Amino acid sequence: MYRQGDVLIVPVAESALPPHIADVPQEPRDARGRLVLALGEVTGHAHAVVGPGQLLRASGPFGPMLLHLPDGGRVVHEEHAAIPLPKGWYRVVRQREYVPGSVRLVAD
């Protein structure tokens, strides 16, 4: 497992991927060519992956994100050290916080 700020990245065995993985929409890269895992609403900083790969996101704000890195990659952020990731599949989990009556993603 890897953690950078409010983003947790968990390795997933290819055999454990959902059968409908081919139907999950792919997230576009940002203007800098990165796969953005979480964008800081206040600072504009981003937890992002550089390198070849795909970020797949199921619908909804709490929909699971799956990251595929066929050659490995690095998670970068302006205020954290880069984290190298080996090739493979990962589930990306955003930290959530309880607000009376609801749950929301942690805002940067």
Side-chain angles (χ1 to χ4, degrees):
M1 270 192 277
Y2 306 87
R3 178 174 290 285
Q4 189 184 67
D6 57 350
V7 175
L8 177 67
I9 303 165
V10 182
V12 175
E14 194 162 350
S15 61
L17 293 172
H20 66 281
I21 191 71
D23 300 329
V24 176
Q26 184 173 328
E27 289 287 303
R29 292 180 177 268
D30 71 357
R32 293 168 58 183
R34 307 173 302 172
L35 296 168
V36 177
L37 307 178
L39 181 62
E41 295 83 4
V42 176
T43 62
H45 296 163
H47 298 279
V49 173
V50 294
Q54 298 175 308
L55 181 61
L56 310 169
R57 183 191 310 257
S59 62
F62 298 111
M65 286 191 290
L66 292 170
L67 176 65
H68 181 226
L69 299 175
D71 301 323
R74 287 183 314 124
V75 182
V76 296
H77 186 278
E78 291 82 354
E79 297 174 340
H80 299 282
I83 299 172
L85 296 175
K87 69 179 180 177
W89 283 91
Y90 299 89
R91 178 177 163 90
V92 179
V93 181
R94 293 278 314 273
Q95 184 173 337
R96 300 175 185 127
E97 62 186 359
Y98 173 75
V99 177
S102 69
V103 175
R104 69 181 184 103
L105 294 174
V106 172
D108 190 357

